[in-house]
Every structure is written in C-alpha cells, then in structure tokens.
C-alpha cells in the first residue's frame, strides 16, 4: 500500500507557490522554514479528487510566513518566532459555515432562522422552487450549464420563460425538472448569451482543457496567485502601534463585502488585529449624503479597504482605488484589496459570479463528477473557491502591509475565485490508489447519491457526515473550535484561528468585539 503524507504534500505545494511569480519581497522567501506543519492523519480529509486539503494547508503556511515577517517588523528582526499549522485544521477551513453553530444549532437547522437576521429578501433560500435555480442543468446541445439564483432568482426565471414563483413546485426534483425542461430548449452558448444580456451569473460547465483554451483561461493561468501593484511611492513607511498584544494592533480595516469570500478576508485578518471574527458592522447608504459623510469619516484613518462588490461598483460611488489615491494624496498610504469571481483583466473580468460559477467555468465540477464515476459535472464539497479566494485575500493584504512597512507607499492587490480554482486544478489529482481509498472510506466508490442535481448543501452535508464519521475527534478538539458566549446571537461555536504564531499569539484570549448581526452597530467610529 502506497504511503501518503499530507505534511510532505503540503510542503511541496507551499514551495510551488514561490515558483509562480509570487509578488513578495525576497525576505519572505528567506523565511520559508519558519512554518511547521503537523497532523494526526496521514491522508486527506476533504472527499474530492483534487488536492484541496493540501492547498489550504499550504496557503495557511504562506499566511504564517508573512505573519512571521510582520512580527519581526514590529518586535525586531532578531525576534525568534515561527508559525505552526495543523494540516487537518487547515483542511476544515472551507467547511467553516457547516461547522459553526449558534446555541448548538447548525446553519441548516430549522430553528436557525430565529437566531439570525433574515436577509433572504427575495426568497432565494426559503422558496425551494427559486432555490433550485442554483444548479447544473442539461442544455439542448448535450452540454451542461450552471444557473445561479444570485440574490434574486426572478430575472433568470423570467428569461427562461418561467414564473418567478410556483408554489406547486415545492419539492426539489419537481422544481429541477421544470427548470431543466426550459434549459433544454437552448444550447449552452445561447443560454450563456441570455444570462449575460440580463447581467446575471451563470456559466457553461467547462472541462479544464476547455477553460485553458479560452482567452480568459489563458489570461488567468498566466497570472500569479494574487496581483499586487504599487499605486504611489511617496507615502512614508507604515508604523505599527506599540500598544496591544497583536502583531497588527492598531491597523484599521474597512470591509465592504458580503457572502463568504470577502468576509473571510477580513475575518482572518482580524486574528492579527482584534481577534473578532464578527467585527463591528453598520449599514450605510453610500448614495445618500448622510451615508457618504459617515463613510468618509471612517476613511480618514483607514489602513486597508476590502472591496467584494461587482467590479467597478464601489468606484462608481467615488471610492475606488484611483479616487482614494487622490483623496489620500500627501496624507497617508493605504492598501486596497479587490475580491471578485473572475479576477482583474481578461475577457470575462466584468462578469458577475459566485462559488458555483467559478467551479463550473474552471473545470472543478467536471473533475469532481468524473472522479465519482459519472459523465456529468458535480458541485464540489464545501465552498472551496470562496474560502480559497478569501484566504488568498488575507495573504495578499498581509503582503501589501509588509510592503508598506518595508518600502512605504500605497498598494492595490486583488484575488479571485477563478484563480484559486485554476491553481487548485494545476496541482493535479491524487494518485489513483489514494483516491480509491478516500472514495471508499467516504462511501463514494459505488454510490450514485451525488449527481449534478445535488446542490451546494447536499454535497457539503454529505462530506460533513462522512468526515465526522471517520474523524469524530476533530469536532471536539479545543484547538480547532472556539466558543463565544453571550453574543447578540447566543452562544456561537466556530473555527478557531488556524495559524499559530509562537511564542507570540496572533491575538489576545477572547474577542474585543464578539460576533454580531449585520447592521448591529450604530456608532460610525473606529474601536
């Protein structure tokens, strides 16, 4: 039986990132030995043929290396410090939304709707018929197309000639049959044009080869894991606060994002700032004078802006990187972080997209389906691209701050879901013997339970169930999970920080600001 080591495989993946024109200063490469990997399981946890497990362990390792560099900048270059990463803990990172609970209730629990604010204003999640729009469907030419309900299913349903609501189709399979009856009237190309014309998200399910043959695939595959450009070089070097226990104490991050990838960036950065995964949260209307005034007050002291909206949306409101460059000219430096589905540049950069769309367009869904023995694409377990892009965004931000500490100036850095998937695919699949063992252990070898009709939650819940069955101790490990009591939600259990910086801690014990609902805070001011 062939031996496999996730530690050795993760080290190789980490080293390979430096061969991809990674835009880091030379001293980052020199610190590559400052990260130490550990694990209690030699084989991967995530039930997918692609090396997702190793990709997250490697990215957490890269995060740790840059955190060590920042630590040395703050506490002295002679400081003896290292980063510790448990590979299993890192592999559970993209499963965070499935692992987190409120008063013991998981996200799919029926009582959860009483615990959190209802943001499903257009009934995308509460209405089964509208929810099933987000799925993979056959097309007239024998292809497959991934539709997405986005935040409002109505535009796409209407374009397909379907009613916005149909209470008679409140079962998954019934709703899927109705939608597929419509998609099969169109070729993949015609369907894609229709979706583009109404400015909604969707994509043909491409193979890896088809993606790489496209103009956008060629562009993305030629780019580094994250982009970095210097906006100006006259601002003085960043000075870190001498107070506070955290590596980046005093750094102020303004998060303009929603739905997984963007929030993951700032949540992870908070481990080095406040250790509050909830952050302070306010609602502002940037089209109103009152909202703009409040927002501009925050901008006065900001160090990092995270933009997770559709490309160009924030710039149209007057707060894009070029506009901020003029605003801050001669006053201060800053870092602007852009997270998107398709990335900067390339033919498809302005298209809207989500996790499932990135999976479909890059070949991840096809790779997953074929590994399951099917001749159809299947959504992967967990929001890998969302968390992958989010982690890349955290790394890119830490790297840009390292540039500010070293060279001064202001920086623009960007990450994308499609780039994470492109990189994941480039790592290749597991050896056949390893995958056979994994598939058998997870009950996938001869199972037809998963198919293209299995939506995001179906696949994720199946993976959680099998990981829990095979590794029940992970859920109970106090180093992996952390509890916050007396929050506005109730008692929240979620994943603890993965990268451990020793002998320093990434943060103090506990949260300065416990997690809180969207729009919870009323004061527009920094902590």
């Amino acid at each position: 039986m062939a031996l496999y080591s996730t530690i050795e495989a993760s080290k190789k993946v980490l080293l390979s990132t430096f061969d991809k024109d990674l835009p880091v200063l030379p001293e980052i490469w020199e610190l590559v030995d400052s990260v130490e990997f550990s694990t209690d399981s030699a084989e991967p946890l995530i039930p997918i043929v692609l090396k997702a497990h190793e990709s997250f362990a490697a990215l957490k390792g890269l995060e740790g290396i840059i955190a060590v560099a920042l630590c040395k900048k703050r506490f002295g270059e002679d400081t003896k410090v290292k980063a510790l990463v448990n590979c299993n803990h890192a592999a559970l990172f993209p499963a965070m939304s499935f692992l987190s609970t409120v008063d013991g209730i998981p996200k799919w629990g029926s009582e959860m709707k009483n615990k959190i604010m209802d943001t499903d204003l257009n009934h995308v999640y509460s209405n089964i018929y509208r929810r099933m729009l987000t799925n993979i469907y056959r097309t007239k030419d024998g292809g497959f197309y991934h539709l997405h309900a986005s935040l409002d299913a109505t535009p796409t349903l209407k374009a397909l000639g379907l009613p916005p609501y149909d209470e008679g189709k409140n079962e998954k399979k019934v709703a899927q049959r109705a939608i597929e009856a419509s998609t099969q009237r169109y070729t993949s190309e015609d369907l894609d044009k229709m979706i583009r014309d109404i400015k909604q998200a969707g994509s043909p399910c491409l193979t890896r080869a088809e993606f790489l043959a496209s103009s956008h695939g060629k562009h993305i595959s030629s780019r580094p894991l994250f982009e970095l450009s210097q906006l100006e070089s006259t601002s003085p070097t960043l000075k870190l606060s001498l107070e506070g226990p955290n590596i980046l104490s005093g750094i102020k991050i303004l998060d303009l994002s929603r739905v997984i990838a963007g929030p993951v960036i700032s949540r992870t950065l908070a481990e080095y700032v406040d250790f509050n995964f909830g952050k302070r949260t306010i609602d502002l209307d940037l089209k109103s004078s009152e909202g703009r005034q409040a927002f501009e007050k925050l901008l006065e002291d900001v160090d990092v802006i995270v933009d997770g909206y559709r490309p160009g949306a924030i710039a149209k409101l007057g707060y894009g990187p070029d506009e901020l460059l003029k605003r801050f000219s001669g006053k201060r430096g800053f870092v602007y972080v852009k997270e998107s589905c398709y990335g900067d540049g390339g033919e498809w950069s302005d298209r809207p997209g989500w996790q499932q769309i990135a999976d479909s367009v890059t070949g991840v869904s096809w790779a997953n389906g074929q590994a399951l023995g099917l001749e159809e694409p299947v959504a992967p377990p967990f929001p890998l691209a969302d968390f992958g892009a989010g982690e890349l965004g955290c790394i890119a931000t830490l790297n840009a701050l390292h540039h500010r500490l070293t060279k001064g100036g202001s920086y623009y850095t960007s990450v994308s879901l499609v780039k994470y998937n492109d990189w994941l695919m480039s790592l290749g699949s597991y050896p056949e013997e390893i995958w056979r063992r994994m598939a058998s252990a997870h009950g996938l070898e001869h199972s037809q339970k998963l198919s293209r009709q299995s939506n995001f939650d179906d696949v994720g819940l199946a993976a959680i169930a099998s990981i829990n069955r095979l590794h029940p101790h992970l859920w109970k490990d106090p180093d992996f999970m952390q509890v916050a009591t007396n929050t506005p939600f109730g008692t929240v259990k979620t994943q603890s920080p993965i990268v451990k910086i020793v002998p320093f801690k990434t943060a103090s014990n506990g949260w300065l600001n416990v997690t809180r609902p969207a729009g919870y805070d009323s004061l527009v001011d920094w902590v």
Side-chain angles (χ1 to χ4, degrees), residues 101-103 111-118 276-281 483-493 511-522:
T101 60
V102 178
D103 293 335
E111 297 178 47
M112 182 59 82
K113 63 182 179 181
N114 299 321
K115 297 287 184 181
I116 62 176
M117 179 187 297
D118 182 12
N276 63 311
F277 63 87
K279 318 159 203 175
R280 297 186 73 188
T281 168
V483 177
T485 58
N486 301 319
T487 81
F489 292 112
T491 298
V492 176
K493 184 177 182 180
W511 292 280
L512 286 180
N513 294 309
V514 295
T515 183
R516 58 198 61 206
Y520 181 81
D521 295 290
S522 57

mmCIF file of all heavy atoms in Angstrom, residues 101-103 111-118 276-281 483-493 511-522:
data_model
loop_
_atom_site.group_PDB
_atom_site.id
_atom_site.type_symbol
_atom_site.label_atom_id
_atom_site.label_comp_id
_atom_site.label_asym_id
_atom_site.label_seq_id
_atom_site.Cartn_x
_atom_site.Cartn_y
_atom_site.Cartn_z
ATOM 1 N N THR A 101 -22.012 26.861 14.772
ATOM 2 C CA THR A 101 -23.357 26.716 15.335
ATOM 3 C C THR A 101 -23.699 27.908 16.215
ATOM 4 O O THR A 101 -22.815 28.611 16.721
ATOM 5 C CB THR A 101 -23.471 25.438 16.185
ATOM 6 O OG1 THR A 101 -22.522 25.503 17.279
ATOM 7 C CG2 THR A 101 -23.201 24.180 15.367
ATOM 8 N N VAL A 102 -24.992 28.135 16.400
ATOM 9 C CA VAL A 102 -25.499 29.134 17.340
ATOM 10 C C VAL A 102 -26.405 28.401 18.317
ATOM 11 O O VAL A 102 -27.397 27.789 17.907
ATOM 12 C CB VAL A 102 -26.287 30.244 16.619
ATOM 13 C CG1 VAL A 102 -26.845 31.232 17.644
ATOM 14 C CG2 VAL A 102 -25.423 30.954 15.602
ATOM 15 N N ASP A 103 -26.027 28.426 19.599
ATOM 16 C CA ASP A 103 -26.754 27.662 20.622
ATOM 17 C C ASP A 103 -26.920 26.201 20.215
ATOM 18 O O ASP A 103 -27.971 25.577 20.434
ATOM 19 C CB ASP A 103 -28.125 28.290 20.892
ATOM 20 C CG ASP A 103 -28.015 29.661 21.551
ATOM 21 O OD1 ASP A 103 -26.990 29.920 22.221
ATOM 22 O OD2 ASP A 103 -28.939 30.466 21.398
ATOM 23 N N GLU A 111 -34.434 25.895 13.291
ATOM 24 C CA GLU A 111 -34.530 26.980 14.275
ATOM 25 C C GLU A 111 -33.548 28.116 13.990
ATOM 26 O O GLU A 111 -33.631 29.165 14.630
ATOM 27 C CB GLU A 111 -34.289 26.433 15.684
ATOM 28 C CG GLU A 111 -35.323 25.419 16.147
ATOM 29 C CD GLU A 111 -34.993 24.874 17.519
ATOM 30 O OE1 GLU A 111 -34.688 25.682 18.421
ATOM 31 O OE2 GLU A 111 -35.027 23.642 17.690
ATOM 32 N N MET A 112 -32.624 27.903 13.071
ATOM 33 C CA MET A 112 -31.613 28.925 12.809
ATOM 34 C C MET A 112 -32.242 30.229 12.333
ATOM 35 O O MET A 112 -31.736 31.317 12.622
ATOM 36 C CB MET A 112 -30.593 28.421 11.785
ATOM 37 C CG MET A 112 -29.466 29.406 11.498
ATOM 38 S SD MET A 112 -28.500 29.867 12.949
ATOM 39 C CE MET A 112 -27.387 28.471 13.056
ATOM 40 N N LYS A 113 -33.349 30.138 11.602
ATOM 41 C CA LYS A 113 -33.978 31.363 11.091
ATOM 42 C C LYS A 113 -34.448 32.275 12.219
ATOM 43 O O LYS A 113 -34.645 33.481 12.009
ATOM 44 C CB LYS A 113 -35.145 31.009 10.169
ATOM 45 C CG LYS A 113 -36.287 30.265 10.852
ATOM 46 C CD LYS A 113 -37.378 29.913 9.858
ATOM 47 C CE LYS A 113 -38.511 29.150 10.532
ATOM 48 N NZ LYS A 113 -39.566 28.778 9.556
ATOM 49 N N ASN A 114 -34.610 31.724 13.426
ATOM 50 C CA ASN A 114 -34.999 32.535 14.573
ATOM 51 C C ASN A 114 -33.792 33.135 15.280
ATOM 52 O O ASN A 114 -33.953 33.941 16.193
ATOM 53 C CB ASN A 114 -35.796 31.689 15.563
ATOM 54 C CG ASN A 114 -37.074 31.138 14.958
ATOM 55 O OD1 ASN A 114 -37.759 31.820 14.202
ATOM 56 N ND2 ASN A 114 -37.395 29.891 15.292
ATOM 57 N N LYS A 115 -32.576 32.706 14.865
ATOM 58 C CA LYS A 115 -31.363 33.160 15.531
ATOM 59 C C LYS A 115 -30.644 34.284 14.786
ATOM 60 O O LYS A 115 -29.895 35.046 15.386
ATOM 61 C CB LYS A 115 -30.386 31.978 15.675
ATOM 62 C CG LYS A 115 -30.904 30.839 16.542
ATOM 63 C CD LYS A 115 -30.896 31.211 18.009
ATOM 64 C CE LYS A 115 -31.310 30.046 18.879
ATOM 65 N NZ LYS A 115 -31.316 30.416 20.316
ATOM 66 N N ILE A 116 -30.840 34.348 13.485
ATOM 67 C CA ILE A 116 -30.102 35.325 12.693
ATOM 68 C C ILE A 116 -31.060 36.225 11.917
ATOM 69 O O ILE A 116 -32.227 35.878 11.701
ATOM 70 C CB ILE A 116 -29.127 34.637 11.715
ATOM 71 C CG1 ILE A 116 -29.891 33.762 10.722
ATOM 72 C CG2 ILE A 116 -28.090 33.823 12.469
ATOM 73 C CD1 ILE A 116 -29.009 33.134 9.664
ATOM 74 N N MET A 117 -30.536 37.361 11.506
ATOM 75 C CA MET A 117 -31.342 38.303 10.732
ATOM 76 C C MET A 117 -31.738 37.693 9.390
ATOM 77 O O MET A 117 -30.923 37.047 8.734
ATOM 78 C CB MET A 117 -30.553 39.596 10.498
ATOM 79 C CG MET A 117 -31.284 40.646 9.675
ATOM 80 S SD MET A 117 -30.210 42.051 9.263
ATOM 81 C CE MET A 117 -29.872 42.684 10.899
ATOM 82 N N ASP A 118 -32.987 37.893 9.001
ATOM 83 C CA ASP A 118 -33.448 37.395 7.714
ATOM 84 C C ASP A 118 -33.003 38.348 6.609
ATOM 85 O O ASP A 118 -33.519 39.444 6.471
ATOM 86 C CB ASP A 118 -34.976 37.268 7.719
ATOM 87 C CG ASP A 118 -35.515 36.698 6.407
ATOM 88 O OD1 ASP A 118 -34.697 36.206 5.611
ATOM 89 O OD2 ASP A 118 -36.742 36.754 6.203
ATOM 90 N N ASN A 276 -11.603 39.393 16.468
ATOM 91 C CA ASN A 276 -13.067 39.359 16.488
ATOM 92 C C ASN A 276 -13.552 38.913 15.123
ATOM 93 O O ASN A 276 -13.455 39.628 14.149
ATOM 94 C CB ASN A 276 -13.659 40.723 16.837
ATOM 95 C CG ASN A 276 -13.321 41.782 15.832
ATOM 96 O OD1 ASN A 276 -12.167 41.936 15.469
ATOM 97 N ND2 ASN A 276 -14.305 42.518 15.383
ATOM 98 N N PHE A 277 -14.043 37.655 15.064
ATOM 99 C CA PHE A 277 -14.486 37.174 13.769
ATOM 100 C C PHE A 277 -15.770 37.848 13.352
ATOM 101 O O PHE A 277 -16.166 37.784 12.202
ATOM 102 C CB PHE A 277 -14.658 35.639 13.778
ATOM 103 C CG PHE A 277 -15.695 35.126 14.725
ATOM 104 C CD1 PHE A 277 -17.016 35.034 14.339
ATOM 105 C CD2 PHE A 277 -15.344 34.705 15.999
ATOM 106 C CE1 PHE A 277 -17.976 34.547 15.204
ATOM 107 C CE2 PHE A 277 -16.300 34.221 16.878
ATOM 108 C CZ PHE A 277 -17.626 34.132 16.481
ATOM 109 N N GLY A 278 -16.458 38.533 14.294
ATOM 110 C CA GLY A 278 -17.709 39.196 13.953
ATOM 111 C C GLY A 278 -17.521 40.606 13.439
ATOM 112 O O GLY A 278 -18.292 41.084 12.627
ATOM 113 N N LYS A 279 -16.510 41.328 13.949
ATOM 114 C CA LYS A 279 -16.231 42.703 13.548
ATOM 115 C C LYS A 279 -17.324 43.642 14.045
ATOM 116 O O LYS A 279 -18.357 43.205 14.554
ATOM 117 C CB LYS A 279 -16.100 42.825 12.015
ATOM 118 C CG LYS A 279 -15.331 41.717 11.356
ATOM 119 C CD LYS A 279 -15.666 41.602 9.876
ATOM 120 C CE LYS A 279 -15.363 40.235 9.358
ATOM 121 N NZ LYS A 279 -15.779 40.028 7.981
ATOM 122 N N ARG A 280 -17.142 44.916 13.890
ATOM 123 C CA ARG A 280 -18.230 45.883 14.083
ATOM 124 C C ARG A 280 -18.928 46.013 12.741
ATOM 125 O O ARG A 280 -18.296 45.982 11.695
ATOM 126 C CB ARG A 280 -17.690 47.233 14.543
ATOM 127 C CG ARG A 280 -16.990 47.168 15.886
ATOM 128 C CD ARG A 280 -16.607 48.551 16.368
ATOM 129 N NE ARG A 280 -17.777 49.294 16.815
ATOM 130 C CZ ARG A 280 -17.755 50.591 17.137
ATOM 131 N NH1 ARG A 280 -16.643 51.273 17.036
ATOM 132 N NH2 ARG A 280 -18.843 51.196 17.549
ATOM 133 N N THR A 281 -20.237 46.177 12.758
ATOM 134 C CA THR A 281 -20.979 46.161 11.497
ATOM 135 C C THR A 281 -22.080 47.200 11.486
ATOM 136 O O THR A 281 -22.887 47.285 12.422
ATOM 137 C CB THR A 281 -21.562 44.745 11.235
ATOM 138 O OG1 THR A 281 -22.497 44.811 10.163
ATOM 139 C CG2 THR A 281 -22.234 44.172 12.454
ATOM 140 N N VAL A 483 -15.462 28.815 21.362
ATOM 141 C CA VAL A 483 -16.822 29.191 21.759
ATOM 142 C C VAL A 483 -16.835 30.625 22.257
ATOM 143 O O VAL A 483 -15.996 31.033 23.063
ATOM 144 C CB VAL A 483 -17.354 28.248 22.856
ATOM 145 C CG1 VAL A 483 -18.740 28.694 23.303
ATOM 146 C CG2 VAL A 483 -17.400 26.811 22.341
ATOM 147 N N ALA A 484 -17.813 31.399 21.771
ATOM 148 C CA ALA A 484 -18.050 32.756 22.268
ATOM 149 C C ALA A 484 -19.433 32.778 22.903
ATOM 150 O O ALA A 484 -20.429 32.482 22.246
ATOM 151 C CB ALA A 484 -17.979 33.765 21.120
ATOM 152 N N THR A 485 -19.499 33.089 24.174
ATOM 153 C CA THR A 485 -20.783 33.122 24.872
ATOM 154 C C THR A 485 -21.302 34.549 24.955
ATOM 155 O O THR A 485 -20.566 35.518 24.770
ATOM 156 C CB THR A 485 -20.641 32.544 26.282
ATOM 157 O OG1 THR A 485 -19.657 33.309 26.994
ATOM 158 C CG2 THR A 485 -20.197 31.077 26.225
ATOM 159 N N ASN A 486 -22.576 34.666 25.225
ATOM 160 C CA ASN A 486 -23.214 35.973 25.429
ATOM 161 C C ASN A 486 -23.039 36.922 24.254
ATOM 162 O O ASN A 486 -22.800 38.124 24.419
ATOM 163 C CB ASN A 486 -22.670 36.639 26.705
ATOM 164 C CG ASN A 486 -22.913 35.792 27.943
ATOM 165 O OD1 ASN A 486 -23.989 35.208 28.080
ATOM 166 N ND2 ASN A 486 -21.940 35.715 28.816
ATOM 167 N N THR A 487 -23.131 36.401 23.038
ATOM 168 C CA THR A 487 -23.130 37.266 21.861
ATOM 169 C C THR A 487 -24.571 37.666 21.556
ATOM 170 O O THR A 487 -25.508 37.064 22.087
ATOM 171 C CB THR A 487 -22.533 36.542 20.634
ATOM 172 O OG1 THR A 487 -23.537 35.692 20.053
ATOM 173 C CG2 THR A 487 -21.308 35.715 21.004
ATOM 174 N N PRO A 488 -24.789 38.656 20.702
ATOM 175 C CA PRO A 488 -26.158 39.010 20.323
ATOM 176 C C PRO A 488 -26.921 37.862 19.664
ATOM 177 O O PRO A 488 -28.151 37.866 19.635
ATOM 178 C CB PRO A 488 -25.949 40.169 19.337
ATOM 179 C CG PRO A 488 -24.652 40.772 19.730
ATOM 180 C CD PRO A 488 -23.801 39.609 20.157
ATOM 181 N N PHE A 489 -26.191 36.875 19.128
ATOM 182 C CA PHE A 489 -26.837 35.704 18.534
ATOM 183 C C PHE A 489 -27.197 34.667 19.592
ATOM 184 O O PHE A 489 -28.141 33.904 19.452
ATOM 185 C CB PHE A 489 -25.883 35.014 17.534
ATOM 186 C CG PHE A 489 -25.579 35.803 16.303
ATOM 187 C CD1 PHE A 489 -24.323 36.312 16.085
ATOM 188 C CD2 PHE A 489 -26.561 36.011 15.349
ATOM 189 C CE1 PHE A 489 -24.035 37.025 14.937
ATOM 190 C CE2 PHE A 489 -26.273 36.716 14.189
ATOM 191 C CZ PHE A 489 -25.019 37.232 13.981
ATOM 192 N N GLY A 490 -26.370 34.572 20.632
ATOM 193 C CA GLY A 490 -26.416 33.485 21.590
ATOM 194 C C GLY A 490 -24.999 32.954 21.757
ATOM 195 O O GLY A 490 -24.026 33.694 21.583
ATOM 196 N N THR A 491 -24.869 31.676 22.071
ATOM 197 C CA THR A 491 -23.548 31.063 22.173
ATOM 198 C C THR A 491 -23.107 30.577 20.798
ATOM 199 O O THR A 491 -23.759 29.724 20.195
ATOM 200 C CB THR A 491 -23.562 29.884 23.157
ATOM 201 O OG1 THR A 491 -23.906 30.370 24.468
ATOM 202 C CG2 THR A 491 -22.195 29.212 23.217
ATOM 203 N N VAL A 492 -22.006 31.126 20.320
ATOM 204 C CA VAL A 492 -21.520 30.813 18.974
ATOM 205 C C VAL A 492 -20.272 29.940 19.063
ATOM 206 O O VAL A 492 -19.311 30.280 19.755
ATOM 207 C CB VAL A 492 -21.195 32.096 18.187
ATOM 208 C CG1 VAL A 492 -20.592 31.752 16.830
ATOM 209 C CG2 VAL A 492 -22.454 32.939 18.018
ATOM 210 N N LYS A 493 -20.323 28.804 18.377
ATOM 211 C CA LYS A 493 -19.164 27.926 18.258
ATOM 212 C C LYS A 493 -18.689 27.982 16.823
ATOM 213 O O LYS A 493 -19.467 27.797 15.887
ATOM 214 C CB LYS A 493 -19.523 26.493 18.632
ATOM 215 C CG LYS A 493 -18.331 25.532 18.629
ATOM 216 C CD LYS A 493 -18.758 24.139 19.077
ATOM 217 C CE LYS A 493 -17.565 23.192 19.122
ATOM 218 N NZ LYS A 493 -17.958 21.821 19.550
ATOM 219 N N TRP A 511 -12.382 37.798 22.309
ATOM 220 C CA TRP A 511 -12.642 38.783 21.272
ATOM 221 C C TRP A 511 -12.831 40.166 21.876
ATOM 222 O O TRP A 511 -13.510 40.327 22.896
ATOM 223 C CB TRP A 511 -13.926 38.415 20.510
ATOM 224 C CG TRP A 511 -13.802 37.185 19.689
ATOM 225 C CD1 TRP A 511 -13.227 37.049 18.459
ATOM 226 C CD2 TRP A 511 -14.271 35.872 20.041
ATOM 227 N NE1 TRP A 511 -13.299 35.750 18.025
ATOM 228 C CE2 TRP A 511 -13.936 35.005 18.971
ATOM 229 C CE3 TRP A 511 -14.938 35.325 21.148
ATOM 230 C CZ2 TRP A 511 -14.251 33.651 18.980
ATOM 231 C CZ3 TRP A 511 -15.244 33.980 21.159
ATOM 232 C CH2 TRP A 511 -14.900 33.157 20.081
ATOM 233 N N LEU A 512 -12.219 41.175 21.269
ATOM 234 C CA LEU A 512 -12.525 42.543 21.669
ATOM 235 C C LEU A 512 -13.959 42.872 21.328
ATOM 236 O O LEU A 512 -14.666 43.533 22.073
ATOM 237 C CB LEU A 512 -11.577 43.523 20.960
ATOM 238 C CG LEU A 512 -10.138 43.576 21.458
ATOM 239 C CD1 LEU A 512 -9.350 44.595 20.657
ATOM 240 C CD2 LEU A 512 -10.104 43.930 22.941
ATOM 241 N N ASN A 513 -14.402 42.433 20.154
ATOM 242 C CA ASN A 513 -15.795 42.592 19.735
ATOM 243 C C ASN A 513 -16.332 41.215 19.381
ATOM 244 O O ASN A 513 -15.852 40.598 18.441
ATOM 245 C CB ASN A 513 -15.909 43.505 18.505
ATOM 246 C CG ASN A 513 -15.493 44.925 18.806
ATOM 247 O OD1 ASN A 513 -15.968 45.516 19.761
ATOM 248 N ND2 ASN A 513 -14.582 45.454 18.015
ATOM 249 N N VAL A 514 -17.302 40.731 20.128
ATOM 250 C CA VAL A 514 -17.865 39.431 19.817
ATOM 251 C C VAL A 514 -18.662 39.521 18.525
ATOM 252 O O VAL A 514 -18.987 40.593 18.037
ATOM 253 C CB VAL A 514 -18.771 38.916 20.956
ATOM 254 C CG1 VAL A 514 -17.964 38.667 22.196
ATOM 255 C CG2 VAL A 514 -19.913 39.890 21.227
ATOM 256 N N THR A 515 -18.969 38.376 17.948
ATOM 257 C CA THR A 515 -19.701 38.351 16.694
ATOM 258 C C THR A 515 -21.072 38.994 16.864
ATOM 259 O O THR A 515 -21.665 38.953 17.939
ATOM 260 C CB THR A 515 -19.847 36.907 16.180
ATOM 261 O OG1 THR A 515 -20.497 36.918 14.924
ATOM 262 C CG2 THR A 515 -20.612 36.033 17.152
ATOM 263 N N ARG A 516 -21.560 39.583 15.811
ATOM 264 C CA ARG A 516 -22.805 40.348 15.895
ATOM 265 C C ARG A 516 -23.522 40.328 14.559
ATOM 266 O O ARG A 516 -22.923 40.105 13.510
ATOM 267 C CB ARG A 516 -22.497 41.789 16.292
ATOM 268 C CG ARG A 516 -21.553 42.471 15.329
ATOM 269 C CD ARG A 516 -20.924 43.712 15.935
ATOM 270 N NE ARG A 516 -20.161 43.393 17.099
ATOM 271 C CZ ARG A 516 -19.921 44.250 18.099
ATOM 272 N NH1 ARG A 516 -20.374 45.471 18.056
ATOM 273 N NH2 ARG A 516 -19.205 43.893 19.136
ATOM 274 N N PRO A 517 -24.848 40.543 14.561
ATOM 275 C CA PRO A 517 -25.615 40.545 13.306
ATOM 276 C C PRO A 517 -25.233 41.713 12.413
ATOM 277 O O PRO A 517 -24.664 42.718 12.862
ATOM 278 C CB PRO A 517 -27.076 40.687 13.789
ATOM 279 C CG PRO A 517 -27.050 40.303 15.238
ATOM 280 C CD PRO A 517 -25.712 40.723 15.741
ATOM 281 N N ALA A 518 -25.559 41.583 11.131
ATOM 282 C CA ALA A 518 -25.323 42.664 10.171
ATOM 283 C C ALA A 518 -26.087 43.909 10.604
ATOM 284 O O ALA A 518 -27.251 43.839 11.001
ATOM 285 C CB ALA A 518 -25.768 42.233 8.779
ATOM 286 N N GLY A 519 -25.414 45.053 10.546
ATOM 287 C CA GLY A 519 -26.060 46.313 10.896
ATOM 288 C C GLY A 519 -26.282 46.517 12.375
ATOM 289 O O GLY A 519 -27.049 47.382 12.782
ATOM 290 N N TYR A 520 -25.606 45.739 13.207
ATOM 291 C CA TYR A 520 -25.844 45.768 14.661
ATOM 292 C C TYR A 520 -25.400 47.079 15.296
ATOM 293 O O TYR A 520 -26.030 47.589 16.199
ATOM 294 C CB TYR A 520 -25.107 44.591 15.309
ATOM 295 C CG TYR A 520 -25.275 44.475 16.795
ATOM 296 C CD1 TYR A 520 -26.406 43.883 17.339
ATOM 297 C CD2 TYR A 520 -24.285 44.946 17.670
ATOM 298 C CE1 TYR A 520 -26.559 43.762 18.717
ATOM 299 C CE2 TYR A 520 -24.429 44.836 19.047
ATOM 300 C CZ TYR A 520 -25.564 44.240 19.568
ATOM 301 O OH TYR A 520 -25.721 44.129 20.931
ATOM 302 N N ASP A 521 -24.290 47.636 14.813
ATOM 303 C CA ASP A 521 -23.718 48.837 15.433
ATOM 304 C C ASP A 521 -24.327 50.102 14.838
ATOM 305 O O ASP A 521 -24.655 50.164 13.661
ATOM 306 C CB ASP A 521 -22.201 48.850 15.233
ATOM 307 C CG ASP A 521 -21.529 47.696 15.959
ATOM 308 O OD1 ASP A 521 -21.498 47.735 17.196
ATOM 309 O OD2 ASP A 521 -21.067 46.764 15.281
ATOM 310 N N SER A 522 -24.439 51.112 15.683
ATOM 311 C CA SER A 522 -24.991 52.384 15.224
ATOM 312 C C SER A 522 -23.933 53.478 15.171
ATOM 313 O O SER A 522 -24.016 54.400 14.356
ATOM 314 C CB SER A 522 -26.137 52.833 16.146
ATOM 315 O OG SER A 522 -25.683 52.925 17.495
#
